[in-house]
Amino acid sequence: TDPTDEIKATGLPVRHLHRAVQSPDYDDTAAFVAELDGIVGIHTTIHHLAGALGKKSTVLVPTRTSWLYANGEGIPWYADQKFHRQRSGESWADCIKRLP
């Protein structure tokens, strides 16, 4: 779906690159990720792709999450992936402000 309204609501300087992330050909997405210095975002397949390609990735993890994100250190088979956990009662905007 088109995330334009959600992106605008954050007030953050986020760009949505439709062809790269919503292409019917996942090779377009893989090629796009391969060219990036890193990824910051919520836990989606893009972080698995970044991990598989050896790209740096910061996953924004909600306070309550699945077992895969519970250890707080990252997924062990992705060497360059880090977790940035939302604190209890914290808004996503405040969570993002704490990014190093």
Side-chain angles (χ1 to χ4, degrees), residues 2-65:
D2 184 353
T4 303
D5 291 338
E6 292 173 65
I7 290 170
K8 285 180 182 178
T10 69
L12 298 169
V14 176
R15 290 183 53 206
H16 176 60
L17 303 171
H18 184 280
R19 184 168 187 277
V21 297
Q22 289 182 299
S23 171
D25 187 346
Y26 205 62
D27 282 343
D28 290 339
T29 304
F32 177 71
V33 170
E35 295 300 317
L36 297 175
D37 293 329
I39 302 275
V40 177
I42 61 170
H43 53 290
T44 63
T45 57
I46 201 78
H47 287 285
H48 292 283
L49 176 60
L53 293 173
K55 292 291 179 175
K56 292 181 182 177
S57 178
T58 300
V59 183
L60 302 174
V61 181
T63 303
R64 298 182 71 189
T65 189

